[in-house]
PDB file of all heavy atoms in Angstrom:
ATOM      1  N   SER A 223       2.651 -14.772 111.818  1.00  0.00           N
ATOM      2  CA  SER A 223       3.282 -15.761 112.690  1.00  0.00           C
ATOM      3  C   SER A 223       3.753 -16.972 111.886  1.00  0.00           C
ATOM      4  O   SER A 223       4.847 -17.502 112.112  1.00  0.00           O
ATOM      5  CB  SER A 223       2.307 -16.212 113.784  1.00  0.00           C
ATOM      6  OG  SER A 223       1.971 -15.143 114.637  1.00  0.00           O
ATOM      7  N   LEU A 224       2.923 -17.418 110.928  1.00  0.00           N
ATOM      8  CA  LEU A 224       3.299 -18.541 110.072  1.00  0.00           C
ATOM      9  C   LEU A 224       4.540 -18.205 109.235  1.00  0.00           C
ATOM     10  O   LEU A 224       5.448 -19.031 109.072  1.00  0.00           O
ATOM     11  CB  LEU A 224       2.138 -18.917 109.154  1.00  0.00           C
ATOM     12  CG  LEU A 224       0.960 -19.639 109.811  1.00  0.00           C
ATOM     13  CD1 LEU A 224      -0.205 -19.744 108.830  1.00  0.00           C
ATOM     14  CD2 LEU A 224       1.375 -21.023 110.293  1.00  0.00           C
ATOM     15  N   ILE A 225       4.577 -16.994 108.706  1.00  0.00           N
ATOM     16  CA  ILE A 225       5.732 -16.555 107.912  1.00  0.00           C
ATOM     17  C   ILE A 225       6.998 -16.588 108.756  1.00  0.00           C
ATOM     18  O   ILE A 225       8.051 -17.067 108.314  1.00  0.00           O
ATOM     19  CB  ILE A 225       5.487 -15.139 107.348  1.00  0.00           C
ATOM     20  CG1 ILE A 225       4.404 -15.177 106.270  1.00  0.00           C
ATOM     21  CG2 ILE A 225       6.778 -14.542 106.783  1.00  0.00           C
ATOM     22  CD1 ILE A 225       3.957 -13.815 105.797  1.00  0.00           C
ATOM     23  N   GLN A 226       6.899 -16.098 109.994  1.00  0.00           N
ATOM     24  CA  GLN A 226       8.057 -16.099 110.880  1.00  0.00           C
ATOM     25  C   GLN A 226       8.496 -17.520 111.207  1.00  0.00           C
ATOM     26  O   GLN A 226       9.696 -17.819 111.252  1.00  0.00           O
ATOM     27  CB  GLN A 226       7.715 -15.339 112.174  1.00  0.00           C
ATOM     28  CG  GLN A 226       8.884 -15.137 113.118  1.00  0.00           C
ATOM     29  CD  GLN A 226       9.974 -14.251 112.526  1.00  0.00           C
ATOM     30  OE1 GLN A 226       9.742 -13.496 111.582  1.00  0.00           O
ATOM     31  NE2 GLN A 226      11.175 -14.346 113.068  1.00  0.00           N
ATOM     32  N   MET A 227       7.541 -18.414 111.413  1.00  0.00           N
ATOM     33  CA  MET A 227       7.867 -19.818 111.706  1.00  0.00           C
ATOM     34  C   MET A 227       8.559 -20.480 110.524  1.00  0.00           C
ATOM     35  O   MET A 227       9.511 -21.254 110.703  1.00  0.00           O
ATOM     36  CB  MET A 227       6.586 -20.566 112.073  1.00  0.00           C
ATOM     37  CG  MET A 227       6.031 -20.194 113.448  1.00  0.00           C
ATOM     38  SD  MET A 227       4.326 -20.765 113.706  1.00  0.00           S
ATOM     39  CE  MET A 227       4.531 -22.547 113.532  1.00  0.00           C
ATOM     40  N   ILE A 228       8.096 -20.197 109.320  1.00  0.00           N
ATOM     41  CA  ILE A 228       8.715 -20.761 108.112  1.00  0.00           C
ATOM     42  C   ILE A 228      10.169 -20.297 107.999  1.00  0.00           C
ATOM     43  O   ILE A 228      11.076 -21.089 107.715  1.00  0.00           O
ATOM     44  CB  ILE A 228       7.912 -20.363 106.856  1.00  0.00           C
ATOM     45  CG1 ILE A 228       6.550 -21.064 106.857  1.00  0.00           C
ATOM     46  CG2 ILE A 228       8.685 -20.702 105.584  1.00  0.00           C
ATOM     47  CD1 ILE A 228       5.577 -20.524 105.827  1.00  0.00           C
ATOM     48  N   LYS A 229      10.398 -19.009 108.231  1.00  0.00           N
ATOM     49  CA  LYS A 229      11.755 -18.466 108.133  1.00  0.00           C
ATOM     50  C   LYS A 229      12.683 -19.094 109.172  1.00  0.00           C
ATOM     51  O   LYS A 229      13.831 -19.450 108.872  1.00  0.00           O
ATOM     52  CB  LYS A 229      11.722 -16.947 108.286  1.00  0.00           C
ATOM     53  CG  LYS A 229      11.084 -16.223 107.114  1.00  0.00           C
ATOM     54  CD  LYS A 229      11.043 -14.721 107.344  1.00  0.00           C
ATOM     55  CE  LYS A 229      10.439 -13.996 106.148  1.00  0.00           C
ATOM     56  NZ  LYS A 229      10.371 -12.529 106.359  1.00  0.00           N
ATOM     57  N   ILE A 230      12.185 -19.231 110.407  1.00  0.00           N
ATOM     58  CA  ILE A 230      13.001 -19.834 111.469  1.00  0.00           C
ATOM     59  C   ILE A 230      13.299 -21.297 111.149  1.00  0.00           C
ATOM     60  O   ILE A 230      14.427 -21.782 111.342  1.00  0.00           O
ATOM     61  CB  ILE A 230      12.272 -19.720 112.827  1.00  0.00           C
ATOM     62  CG1 ILE A 230      12.193 -18.254 113.271  1.00  0.00           C
ATOM     63  CG2 ILE A 230      12.978 -20.552 113.903  1.00  0.00           C
ATOM     64  CD1 ILE A 230      11.335 -18.024 114.503  1.00  0.00           C
ATOM     65  N   HIS A 231      12.292 -22.003 110.649  1.00  0.00           N
ATOM     66  CA  HIS A 231      12.474 -23.426 110.316  1.00  0.00           C
ATOM     67  C   HIS A 231      13.488 -23.592 109.191  1.00  0.00           C
ATOM     68  O   HIS A 231      14.312 -24.521 109.218  1.00  0.00           O
ATOM     69  CB  HIS A 231      11.125 -24.016 109.917  1.00  0.00           C
ATOM     70  CG  HIS A 231      10.993 -25.471 110.240  1.00  0.00           C
ATOM     71  ND1 HIS A 231      11.365 -26.016 111.440  1.00  0.00           N
ATOM     72  CD2 HIS A 231      10.519 -26.528 109.490  1.00  0.00           C
ATOM     73  CE1 HIS A 231      11.136 -27.325 111.439  1.00  0.00           C
ATOM     74  NE2 HIS A 231      10.624 -27.650 110.259  1.00  0.00           N
ATOM     75  N   LEU A 232      13.441 -22.696 108.217  1.00  0.00           N
ATOM     76  CA  LEU A 232      14.422 -22.742 107.131  1.00  0.00           C
ATOM     77  C   LEU A 232      15.836 -22.537 107.650  1.00  0.00           C
ATOM     78  O   LEU A 232      16.777 -23.226 107.225  1.00  0.00           O
ATOM     79  CB  LEU A 232      14.091 -21.662 106.093  1.00  0.00           C
ATOM     80  CG  LEU A 232      13.092 -22.025 104.997  1.00  0.00           C
ATOM     81  CD1 LEU A 232      12.696 -20.782 104.227  1.00  0.00           C
ATOM     82  CD2 LEU A 232      13.676 -23.074 104.059  1.00  0.00           C
ATOM     83  N   GLU A 233      15.991 -21.589 108.567  1.00  0.00           N
ATOM     84  CA  GLU A 233      17.315 -21.303 109.121  1.00  0.00           C
ATOM     85  C   GLU A 233      17.894 -22.501 109.865  1.00  0.00           C
ATOM     86  O   GLU A 233      19.107 -22.643 109.979  1.00  0.00           O
ATOM     87  CB  GLU A 233      17.230 -20.101 110.071  1.00  0.00           C
ATOM     88  CG  GLU A 233      16.961 -18.780 109.352  1.00  0.00           C
ATOM     89  CD  GLU A 233      16.749 -17.638 110.320  1.00  0.00           C
ATOM     90  OE1 GLU A 233      16.743 -17.883 111.551  1.00  0.00           O
ATOM     91  OE2 GLU A 233      16.575 -16.492 109.853  1.00  0.00           O
ATOM     92  N   ASN A 234      17.001 -23.370 110.358  1.00  0.00           N
ATOM     93  CA  ASN A 234      17.437 -24.563 111.087  1.00  0.00           C
ATOM     94  C   ASN A 234      17.388 -25.831 110.220  1.00  0.00           C
ATOM     95  O   ASN A 234      17.370 -26.937 110.737  1.00  0.00           O
ATOM     96  CB  ASN A 234      16.579 -24.750 112.341  1.00  0.00           C
ATOM     97  CG  ASN A 234      16.831 -23.674 113.377  1.00  0.00           C
ATOM     98  OD1 ASN A 234      17.925 -23.561 113.917  1.00  0.00           O
ATOM     99  ND2 ASN A 234      15.816 -22.870 113.655  1.00  0.00           N
ATOM    100  N   PHE A 235      17.324 -25.620 108.886  1.00  0.00           N
ATOM    101  CA  PHE A 235      17.327 -26.699 107.894  1.00  0.00           C
ATOM    102  C   PHE A 235      16.104 -27.604 107.994  1.00  0.00           C
ATOM    103  O   PHE A 235      16.166 -28.791 107.683  1.00  0.00           O
ATOM    104  CB  PHE A 235      18.620 -27.541 108.010  1.00  0.00           C
ATOM    105  CG  PHE A 235      19.863 -26.749 107.767  1.00  0.00           C
ATOM    106  CD1 PHE A 235      20.613 -26.282 108.837  1.00  0.00           C
ATOM    107  CD2 PHE A 235      20.276 -26.433 106.484  1.00  0.00           C
ATOM    108  CE1 PHE A 235      21.763 -25.528 108.624  1.00  0.00           C
ATOM    109  CE2 PHE A 235      21.420 -25.678 106.265  1.00  0.00           C
ATOM    110  CZ  PHE A 235      22.165 -25.219 107.339  1.00  0.00           C
ATOM    111  N   GLY A 236      14.986 -27.046 108.432  1.00  0.00           N
ATOM    112  CA  GLY A 236      13.738 -27.789 108.414  1.00  0.00           C
ATOM    113  C   GLY A 236      13.030 -27.592 107.091  1.00  0.00           C
ATOM    114  O   GLY A 236      13.256 -26.601 106.385  1.00  0.00           O
ATOM    115  N   ASP A 237      12.156 -28.536 106.712  1.00  0.00           N
ATOM    116  CA  ASP A 237      11.445 -28.385 105.440  1.00  0.00           C
ATOM    117  C   ASP A 237       9.973 -28.781 105.517  1.00  0.00           C
ATOM    118  O   ASP A 237       9.274 -28.770 104.503  1.00  0.00           O
ATOM    119  CB  ASP A 237      12.142 -29.189 104.333  1.00  0.00           C
ATOM    120  CG  ASP A 237      12.314 -30.658 104.686  1.00  0.00           C
ATOM    121  OD1 ASP A 237      11.691 -31.111 105.662  1.00  0.00           O
ATOM    122  OD2 ASP A 237      13.075 -31.349 103.991  1.00  0.00           O
ATOM    123  N   VAL A 238       9.492 -29.109 106.725  1.00  0.00           N
ATOM    124  CA  VAL A 238       8.078 -29.443 106.891  1.00  0.00           C
ATOM    125  C   VAL A 238       7.581 -28.921 108.240  1.00  0.00           C
ATOM    126  O   VAL A 238       8.247 -29.107 109.261  1.00  0.00           O
ATOM    127  CB  VAL A 238       7.825 -30.968 106.836  1.00  0.00           C
ATOM    128  CG1 VAL A 238       6.347 -31.269 107.118  1.00  0.00           C
ATOM    129  CG2 VAL A 238       8.209 -31.538 105.485  1.00  0.00           C
ATOM    130  N   ILE A 239       6.427 -28.264 108.228  1.00  0.00           N
ATOM    131  CA  ILE A 239       5.746 -27.849 109.454  1.00  0.00           C
ATOM    132  C   ILE A 239       4.351 -28.462 109.425  1.00  0.00           C
ATOM    133  O   ILE A 239       3.597 -28.244 108.480  1.00  0.00           O
ATOM    134  CB  ILE A 239       5.632 -26.313 109.559  1.00  0.00           C
ATOM    135  CG1 ILE A 239       7.018 -25.669 109.611  1.00  0.00           C
ATOM    136  CG2 ILE A 239       4.822 -25.924 110.789  1.00  0.00           C
ATOM    137  CD1 ILE A 239       6.984 -24.146 109.582  1.00  0.00           C
ATOM    138  N   SER A 240       4.016 -29.225 110.469  1.00  0.00           N
ATOM    139  CA  SER A 240       2.703 -29.857 110.547  1.00  0.00           C
ATOM    140  C   SER A 240       2.019 -29.428 111.839  1.00  0.00           C
ATOM    141  O   SER A 240       2.628 -29.469 112.915  1.00  0.00           O
ATOM    142  CB  SER A 240       2.824 -31.383 110.510  1.00  0.00           C
ATOM    143  OG  SER A 240       3.355 -31.806 109.270  1.00  0.00           O
TER     144      SER A 240
END
Side-chain angles (χ1 to χ4, degrees):
S223 296
L224 287 171
I225 290 172
Q226 186 64 20
M227 288 166 61
I228 291 168
K229 290 178 178 179
I230 292 172
H231 210 46
L232 274 170
E233 290 174 356
N234 291 296
F235 299 99
D237 55 13
V238 176
I239 298 175
S240 296

